[in-house]
Amino acid sequence: MKRIILFLVVLVFSFSGMAQSSVSVDGLQCEMLTNPLGIDVIQPRLSWQFQTNNTQVEQTAYHILVASSPERLASNNADLWDSGKVESSQSINILYSGKTLDSKDEAFWKVKVWTNKGETEWSKTAHWSMGILTYAEWKSTRWIGYNQLFPGDSIGQFSKLSARYIRKQIDLKKKVKKAKVYIMGMGLYEFYINGKKIGDQVLAPVPTDYTQNVKYNVFDVTSQLKQGENVLGTILGNGRFFAMRQEYKPYKIKSFGFPKMALQLNVEYEDGSKETIKTDESWKFTPHGPIRANNEYDGEIYDARKEMPHWNDVGFDDSNWLNLMWVQEPGGFYEAQMTPNMKIMDVVNPISITSTKKGTYILDMGQNMVGWLQIKVKGNRGDEITMKFAESLKDDGSLYTANLRDARVTDTYILKGEGEEIWEPKFVYHGFRFVEISGYKYKPALNDFVGKVVYDDIATIGTFECSNETMNQIFKNAFWGIRGNYKGMPIDCPQRNERQPWLGDRTTGAYGESFLFDNQTLYAKWLDDIKYSQTLDGGIPDVAPAFWRYYGDGVTWQGAYIKVADMLYQQFGDEESIKNHYPYMKKWMDYMEQNYLKNDLMTKDKYGDWCVPPESLEIIRSQDPTRLTDGEVLSSAFYYHLLQIMKKFAVISEANQSDVVHYNDLSQRIKQAFNTKYFNRDTYSYANNTVTANVLPLAFGMVPDDLQDKIFQNMVHQVEVVKNGHVSTGVVGIQFLMRTLTEFGRGDLAFKLASNTTYPSWGYMVENGATTIWELWNGNTADPEMNSQNHVMLLGDLMIWYYENMAGIKSHPEAPGFKQVIMKPDFEAGLSYVNASYKSIHGLIKSHWKKNKNKLDWDIVIPANTSALVYLPTTSASKVKINKNRLDKTSVNYKTEENKLVLELKSGTYTININ
């Protein structure tokens, strides 16, 4: 057979998330991409992908070898695990089932695969290593810090705290064979050895509730160390540890104290001896370095006059520095960070710079972005350059900052006066398109500025283009908005004094986002954040990690815990997150039932259908009762929906069968009570006949079969006639509107909503200059108290609809992780072509179709070891050609269903033509 290219992936799941390592193999050729250097889950999951020109490739068996060294693996001495030949088509999420690994153990693995096309060679080697698995192994590593303010520091509404510069000179007496560093730097850190930064991460580590869990990062630093004198250096920033509003509104805002650090450097010498360097009171620091303040809300102040050349290298005189002190640990358990750190993922070059009457300059980046600005400047010693950030401008051309609330969002750079100086901040980020710059003694050039785009180091896995330019721009806006709000957790907005991981924003948002970004590790970690924030009696907060003490006990917000786990299962085949979190999800479901279920209806709702288009363009929240959906309707319908998911989870997690019985019985009672109380037989509507009140029971299967069509037609009338073909839902209803319209036969109406350019619509945002998604449908006119111009919650199911209903890329519910793809585009919705791709966990899926009068051309790519159900808009096989051959003359299996031909295609590349 032809050689099959394998793509090896180490997927590591635990309560702290997942890490990933990738290897690309072509027979005996291999290029290593990344490796997880320190994981703390005992049973990592192993996956691989096929990349081949062969068609109809199906795996029939695999054989995994895992060894403690590359040499042993090369000789097939699998001293850790030899799976033997396993008859199976499974190529993702295979649990390591070998010898139990200890802290810092190394594991090297490879796989051989049998397919219906033949046997592959052994792949090249992939690798993972264990982190520090027990608290006892950290016990002698002391946390160090200095719990004191210094001149210029302050605590309060606008807290200021200078960065701590830390160093330790060490003497390595022998030649180094191997070395790793394990570091916890709270709140943010940059680590150096001999003057060189270790790693390309920024804003590390990812945020958690530090009283519950603390993430450590691991780096291989073998090549950075030398025999003799070396210097370990760290800059500690504040992050969310020294809170953005330290000790301000303590009843609401959680803070954790002064920055601190714990570190282990484990060195193995060539003679086999070992040494561990740990943080203790001999480490020295100064608070008098150039970073004078760093606050996520308010910005960074950098005084270049205070720079200390070579502070992190050998030979620097630190005799005037202070000794750090042993300080109390944060309180949370230490966990390996299993999700990537943030990085500078892109750059944006500004498109214009204009002067103002007051002598400042307005820089336009051309795109609402998240990150920071790098500047280039010349001037005198002590000159100050200030940069204030905003998403838009007032009519007079000045910055519009009212919607930022009390966030000062200003960076300051003080020149040292030594020729051309280039600077960018380290421990802040901003959401902005425009920057007001002051302090230049000359007009700066555009190339003096570069925007650095910062978010989690996760891959873009989805592309989409279609025949409608408004929809294309909406997709770009969604892309920029989603990635900008990935900050080690999914946050609501990146610009004002909020930036919180609201659950409600991601109840469906996570699902749509997963078509654009490989967000599986981010959301696996976020499920842990939610679990850690759960109260003893089962309550879940509105924000997790619970940096804000909001426990509102709603269903539509807190339901994100279950919905996100369902997304991970459906999109990535992740059963482990369900198994790990099922007891806590069940605890929350029971908590809500016991406290808020009255007469078989769920009575607790906090936020309602948040952000419905209001009756006046100037207000934020509608007061018109005809636009608002009763909270009991929302919570009861949504709780019913969650019960259906929990029935599935109970089976996956092998829970007691009584759970399934209970969920089924309770959901039937709620369905009956819901229809009894809220269904109106005179109008064929629910409650007060809002679109949301009708779409939820339709989407969730709560409507009796004989009434579905009439209720749907009533809902269509509300959308098409009453609302003149415009959106009228908030963040709850919009999660299901586009798919429900399409699934009930009105994809054309969904297309109208998606392509509208008048208010309220996503296209209205585009028409008014938006380059991300607004928080409000009327975000350009509403009261500035709440009109972020970079939110993603109003996307609802739009991105899902783009891929599943327009492109036809959907994972079969009974074959998750795209083991089987449902390819069922709505060719009649209104588009003339779609060109989309999605890098699923099984491999690349493509769907590119184009209509011209009565002709349809459709190019499809289906990954190896998967299959697809392909729906064609005809019942005549004689009109269909596949790869230039008539369908009825091929061996392809097909059937007729819903006035469509349904093809059963195995993997490969296909061109389908229909006349």
Side-chain angles (χ1 to χ4, degrees), residues 71-89:
E71 295 77 20
R72 284 180 171 151
L73 189 66
S75 61
N76 295 338
N77 178 13
D79 59 327
L80 297 180
W81 184 39
D82 183 340
S83 72
K85 185 177 180 180
V86 180
E87 304 290 336
S88 172
S89 66

Side-chain angles (χ1 to χ4, degrees), residues 721-741:
V721 178
V722 178
K723 301 302 180 183
N724 194 27
H726 287 80
V727 170
S728 62
T729 54
V731 301
V732 179
I734 202 64
Q735 295 174 20
F736 307 95
L737 179 60
M738 302 296 286
R739 287 173 291 170
T740 303
L741 285 171

Side-chain angles (χ1 to χ4, degrees), residues 275-499:
E275 182 179 5
T276 300
I277 292 96
K278 302 178 180 180
T279 43
D280 58 30
E281 290 179 304
S282 68
W283 290 59
K284 305 191 77 172
F285 91 106
T286 182
H288 304 304
I291 300 179
R292 307 309 307 146
N294 59 103
N295 181 303
E296 189 176 313
Y297 288 166
D298 301 325
E300 187 163 304
I301 300 173
Y302 187 93
D303 189 343
R305 299 171 299 179
K306 291 183 172 291
E307 288 179 346
M308 306 167 291
H310 310 296
W311 69 270
N312 49 12
D313 209 345
V314 176
F316 179 80
D317 181 6
D318 61 8
S319 58
N320 291 325
W321 286 30
L322 301 169
N323 281 85
L324 285 161
M325 303 173 64
W326 286 342
V327 295
Q328 190 173 24
E329 59 189 356
F333 192 76
Y334 310 151
E335 300 175 339
Q337 183 176 310
M338 311 286 269
T339 186
N341 277 308
M342 285 172 265
K343 281 176 54 177
I344 296 171
M345 299 292 288
D346 201 353
V347 296
V348 175
N349 295 310
I351 61 173
S352 70
I353 185 167
T354 57
S355 58
T356 69
K357 293 180 180 179
K358 59 181 181 179
T360 62
Y361 298 94
I362 298 293
L363 189 71
D364 182 0
M365 305 305 295
Q367 170 66 51
N368 198 15
M369 57 169 285
V370 183
W372 55 67
L373 191 67
Q374 176 189 281
I375 66 170
K376 182 167 58 179
V377 63
K378 292 181 180 179
N380 299 320
R381 183 175 178 83
D383 287 351
E384 290 191 13
I385 305 298
T386 63
M387 294 146 277
K388 191 171 183 66
F389 300 85
E391 296 179 302
S392 57
L393 300 176
K394 298 178 183 177
D395 292 339
D396 64 3
S398 62
L399 288 188
Y400 177 72
T401 60
N403 68 331
L404 304 179
R405 302 174 180 168
D406 72 352
R408 291 177 169 177
V409 294
T410 301
D411 290 344
T412 301
Y413 179 72
I414 303 172
L415 279 69
K416 56 189 170 186
E418 298 177 6
E420 184 175 272
E421 302 177 38
I422 298 176
W423 175 80
E424 61 189 84
K426 292 185 183 298
F427 297 127
V428 299
Y429 67 85
H430 306 286
F432 67 101
R433 173 173 174 172
F434 298 95
V435 191
E436 182 181 46
I437 302 170
S438 60
Y440 275 82
K441 301 296 179 63
Y442 55 92
K443 182 175 182 179
L446 275 181
N447 61 9
D448 289 337
F449 307 98
V450 179
K452 303 291 184 73
V453 179
V454 174
Y455 60 99
D456 295 56
D457 183 14
I458 57 179
T460 299
I461 58 175
T463 65
F464 184 92
E465 182 185 14
C466 69
S467 54
N468 185 277
E469 285 306 311
T470 296
M471 287 178 58
N472 289 337
Q473 185 60 49
I474 293 168
F475 181 83
K476 292 177 183 177
N477 290 6
F479 172 83
W480 278 91
I482 292 166
R483 68 175 180 168
N485 283 295
Y486 283 166
K487 291 292 175 287
M489 57 187 178
I491 59 171
D492 64 328
C493 63
Q495 74 297 89
R496 68 188 180 207
N497 68 345
E498 188 166 8
R499 312 183 192 201

Side-chain angles (χ1 to χ4, degrees), residues 621-808:
R621 286 179 285 276
S622 173
Q623 303 301 314
D624 179 359
T626 66
R627 296 169 181 260
L628 304 179
T629 306
D630 186 280
E632 189 174 272
V633 171
L634 300 175
S635 56
S636 297
F638 217 90
Y639 194 78
Y640 174 89
H641 175 55
L642 297 178
L643 285 167
Q644 311 313 305
I645 300 174
M646 287 297 287
K647 283 193 288 185
K648 176 174 64 177
F649 285 4
V651 174
I652 292 171
S653 61
E654 299 178 349
N656 192 301
Q657 178 63 24
S658 63
D659 285 359
V660 178
V661 173
H662 175 70
Y663 295 145
N664 189 65
D665 175 67
L666 180 56
S667 61
Q668 291 305 312
R669 286 161 39 204
I670 290 174
K671 180 178 178 178
Q672 181 175 348
F674 186 87
N675 281 292
T676 299
K677 181 171 182 178
Y678 289 112
F679 175 62
N680 187 326
R681 286 193 169 271
D682 295 330
T683 59
Y684 291 104
S685 67
Y686 283 90
N688 61 339
N689 201 20
T690 63
V691 171
T692 295
N694 292 313
V695 75
L696 295 185
L698 280 168
F700 299 159
M702 301 178 76
V703 181
D705 291 345
D706 61 332
L707 296 174
Q708 285 184 357
D709 184 65
K710 291 183 177 180
I711 292 172
F712 178 70
Q713 293 306 324
N714 169 64
M715 187 185 80
V716 166
H717 177 77
Q718 291 297 314
V719 175
E720 195 169 31
V721 178
V722 178
K723 301 302 180 183
N724 194 27
H726 287 80
V727 170
S728 62
T729 54
V731 301
V732 179
I734 202 64
Q735 295 174 20
F736 307 95
L737 179 60
M738 302 296 286
R739 287 173 291 170
T740 303
L741 285 171
T742 302
E743 288 162 12
F744 278 83
R746 289 302 306 270
D748 61 318
L749 185 53
F751 168 73
K752 184 174 183 179
L753 297 179
S755 57
N756 269 337
T757 58
T758 51
Y759 175 81
S761 67
W762 299 285
Y764 173 77
M765 302 177 194
V766 171
E767 286 294 298
N768 284 272
T771 58
T772 45
I773 303 297
W774 294 344
E775 180 180 19
L776 302 173
W777 298 107
N778 55 328
N780 60 326
T781 57
D783 187 300
E785 179 187 345
M786 197 186 90
N787 59 354
S788 156
Q789 293 163 33
N790 191 352
H791 259 64
V792 293
M793 62 185 184
L794 285 184
L795 278 172
D797 69 348
L798 183 64
M799 293 295 103
I800 307 172
W801 180 79
Y802 269 33
Y803 281 90
E804 293 186 350
N805 297 110
M806 295 298 99

